Structure formats: structure tokens, C-alpha cells
Amino acid sequence: MKGLRFPEGERGMLLGTYELHVQQAIAEHLQPGGVFFDIGAHRGYFSLLAASLVGAQGHVYSFEPLPTNASDIERVMALNQVFHDTVIGKAVSRSAGTASLWIGDGNAYRPSLFRWKGGRQHQVETISLDTFIRTHRVPHVIKVDVEGAEALVLEGATELLASEACVTWIIEIHDEQVEHEVRCLLTQHLYQLEALNPIESAPKTYPKHLLARKHGA
């Protein structure tokens, strides 16, 4: 993230040290001219990193259903004079339609298509990856951070998963049940999975990150 400007966010984001293991994985698998999908883009930290890696010949799609976050992403991109990022103001799920995005309160702020205790809801549009890709470039790297709805993303991407496209997935997993579902969906499509362990701290039980690539890719 050296040379990029990210004016607001967690301390690690301001310093460029946020989730270094995820940054490293994105940098290793994303090439100039590539396409990056940031699913659950939040305020655009990883979108900005990806935009710097793919350059003007590539493209970044930031999927972020919360309007305030989507506006933050657009401001960050403008601040860094990035013009090859498109913000998609929809939640990625198994199909197109509408759904309740549940938002926790205070420290439990975790926007998700799954309801969190004590949360409030915000109606959002949904889209599936298979539908989106029919009219857009196939991604080279997909980062998923959707606070427990990871299986819904994959269920809406069965055509992509079954295709010969060499897509690298970087997925944040939030509990054991979700991990089981994600592993089943990926391995049945011949993906091999490995853990992405934090660089500067001990591995966590949850949340944690998985990296998935096709066998032989």
C-alpha cells in the first residue's frame, strides 16, 4: 500500500499494515491487467490495493451494499486518482432479488445477510456472480468477506466454479459450519484449499482466511 492514501479506518489501514497475509496473497496472485472482485468491500481497502496492482488495463469491481460504505470507496478511489474501479451497490448471494442486510450495534457491527443478535436491518439488492459474469470480464482473484454468508456467494457462482477459469479465491471464514459448507462447495469443483495464516500474530480459530485454487492451476 506504499504511496496510496487511505484517510480513514482502522489503525492498520491507516498504516498500510492491515491483514498483511491477505495483502500478500492478493499481490502474489493478481497481475497487471487482471480483474479483481472485492465482495464485501467495506470501505475499499483491498479494492485500492488491487487497483494499484492491476493498473489501468485491469479492473476492480467492489461489491458493497451499504450506501455509506459505497460512497467511502468512491471517495478513496477519487483521492488516489483511480478510474478503473466500479462500485456495485449490491450484496452478492445465490440469486438476484432483495434481502435484509443485518447490521449489528456498536462493537458488534458486522453487516451480513445472516441476522445478528440485536441488529437492525437494511433492505438491499442482491446479485449472483454467475449472472454478473455473463456481462463482465471473468475475475482472476476474488476476495470474499461477507460475515458468515460465504456459502451464499459460492452457491450463486456454480457456473464459474465449474468452468475452466483459473480463479483464485481468498475467503474469510467465520465459523465451523460455514467452513464445512465452503470446503464442500469448492472441493467438489476440484479446488484445493490452504490456510492463509497471519504474518505477525498466531493463527486464529475464527475468523480465518482460506485460499482456494484449481488443481494444477
Side-chain angles (χ1 to χ4, degrees), residues 130-171:
D130 283 341
T131 299
F132 186 81
I133 288 171
R134 288 173 194 149
T135 55
H136 295 82
R137 295 169 62 183
V138 174
H140 298 91
V141 178
I142 300 176
K143 185 229 81 182
V144 181
D145 182 2
V146 289
E147 301 294 340
E150 293 80 18
L152 293 179
V153 173
L154 296 175
E155 288 169 5
T158 55
E159 294 176 15
L160 175 61
L161 291 171
S163 73
E164 296 181 356
C166 295
V167 179
T168 297
W169 295 77
I170 300 168
I171 306 175

Side-chain angles (χ1 to χ4, degrees), residues 161 165 167 169 186-187 189-193 212-215:
L161 291 171
V167 179
W169 295 77
L186 289 169
T187 55
H189 290 292
L190 305 181
Y191 275 83
Q192 57 185 9
L193 284 75
R213 303 184 73 198
K214 279 282 181 77
H215 283 288

Side-chain angles (χ1 to χ4, degrees), residues 33-37 58-63 84-90 92 127-140 142 159-160 163 165 167:
V35 176
F36 180 79
F37 283 10
H59 206 89
V60 174
Y61 293 95
S62 304
F63 295 84
H84 51 284
D85 176 272
T86 301
V87 179
I88 310 297
K90 299 180 180 182
V92 178
I127 190 172
S128 74
L129 286 184
D130 283 341
T131 299
F132 186 81
I133 288 171
R134 288 173 194 149
T135 55
H136 295 82
R137 295 169 62 183
V138 174
H140 298 91
I142 300 176
E159 294 176 15
L160 175 61
S163 73
V167 179

Side-chain angles (χ1 to χ4, degrees), residues 1-2 11-20 23 45:
M1 299 292 282
K2 184 177 181 180
R11 184 173 182 271
M13 294 180 178
L14 298 177
L15 297 175
T17 59
Y18 179 73
E19 293 190 345
L20 285 173
Q23 292 191 51
Y45 184 83

Side-chain angles (χ1 to χ4, degrees), residues 90-213:
K90 299 180 180 182
V92 178
S93 188
R94 62 165 64 100
S95 62
T98 59
S100 293
L101 186 74
W102 295 91
I103 305 169
D105 299 314
N107 292 333
Y109 175 84
R110 296 169 64 186
S112 175
L113 293 179
F114 288 105
R115 183 173 184 176
W116 301 107
K117 184 178 180 181
R120 61 192 188 279
Q121 62 178 320
H122 179 81
Q123 287 297 117
V124 298
E125 291 185 67
T126 62
I127 190 172
S128 74
L129 286 184
D130 283 341
T131 299
F132 186 81
I133 288 171
R134 288 173 194 149
T135 55
H136 295 82
R137 295 169 62 183
V138 174
H140 298 91
V141 178
I142 300 176
K143 185 229 81 182
V144 181
D145 182 2
V146 289
E147 301 294 340
E150 293 80 18
L152 293 179
V153 173
L154 296 175
E155 288 169 5
T158 55
E159 294 176 15
L160 175 61
L161 291 171
S163 73
E164 296 181 356
C166 295
V167 179
T168 297
W169 295 77
I170 300 168
I171 306 175
E172 185 169 82
I173 304 293
H174 291 271
D175 61 47
E176 186 176 2
Q177 178 60 36
V178 171
E179 181 172 3
H180 174 73
E181 294 171 356
V182 166
R183 285 184 176 275
C184 287
L185 287 164
L186 289 169
T187 55
Q188 73 183 26
H189 290 292
L190 305 181
Y191 275 83
Q192 57 185 9
L193 284 75
E194 62 181 272
L196 283 180
N197 293 320
I199 295 173
E200 297 179 340
S201 61
K204 297 180 180 179
T205 303
Y206 296 103
K208 63 182 180 182
H209 291 89
L210 295 178
L211 184 141
R213 303 184 73 198

